[in-house]
Amino acid sequence: MRRKTPAERIKTEKLLLVLNTGLACVGAVFLAVTFFSAIATVVDFTDGVFTVMASAALCAGCFTAGFTAAKRRRRNGLKVGLACGAIIFAITLLGGIIFVRGFSAGGFFTKLLMILSCSAIGGIFGVNSPKRFR
């Protein structure tokens, strides 16, 4: 069994970072949507409230992704958070184009601002959080 070269280790580390960040994001969105749907079964909401809940779930996922990536890298939290947000926005935009077959300009900029700000805040908190294990 041969040892990995430094380039292979860096590539593996980046792949694991993206995988962990993606799983954290999807997990946070899933938990938020599950929580909101449990509330919605009890209370009768309007369509506007469901839009706010979906946006809050997306923000929770973006914050978690930025936090996870920055905590793992331990440097450049704002930059790492913004990079995570850009990737999440691209995936969201692509999914919207494929499934909804279009998007509005207002929704485009609102989602962009929402995703980038939440993931950047998550990145800042991730870098500044105390180191517990490693």
Side-chain angles (χ1 to χ4, degrees):
M1 179 183 220
R2 71 177 184 90
R3 291 184 182 206
K4 290 185 176 182
T5 64
E8 290 174 332
R9 278 196 300 265
I10 290 172
K11 187 176 180 180
T12 304
E13 184 178 316
K14 286 183 180 182
L15 181 65
L16 287 175
L17 177 70
V18 170
L19 183 64
N20 287 339
T21 302
L23 287 175
C25 178
V26 170
V29 169
F30 177 76
L31 286 175
V33 167
T34 302
F35 177 72
F36 291 146
S37 64
I39 292 172
T41 59
V42 177
V43 182
D44 189 28
F45 289 128
T46 62
D47 289 341
V49 175
F50 284 116
T51 303
V52 170
M53 285 195 271
S55 297
L58 182 62
C59 283
C62 292
F63 179 86
T64 305
F67 183 87
T68 304
K71 187 160 179 79
R72 190 149 171 124
R73 289 214 51 213
R74 302 300 298 168
R75 63 185 185 286
N76 298 332
L78 183 63
K79 194 184 298 185
V80 170
L82 287 173
C84 285
I87 292 169
I88 292 169
F89 179 73
I91 292 169
T92 304
L93 181 67
L94 186 64
I97 289 172
I98 291 172
F99 295 115
V100 181
R101 305 226 188 263
F103 56 93
S104 66
F108 176 84
F109 289 112
T110 304
K111 272 196 180 33
L112 178 65
L113 179 66
M114 192 172 57
I115 290 172
L116 289 180
S117 63
C118 288
S119 60
I121 292 169
I124 292 168
F125 275 93
V127 164
N128 294 319
S129 67
K131 190 173 183 181
R132 304 222 188 237
F133 303 105
R134 194 82 183 211

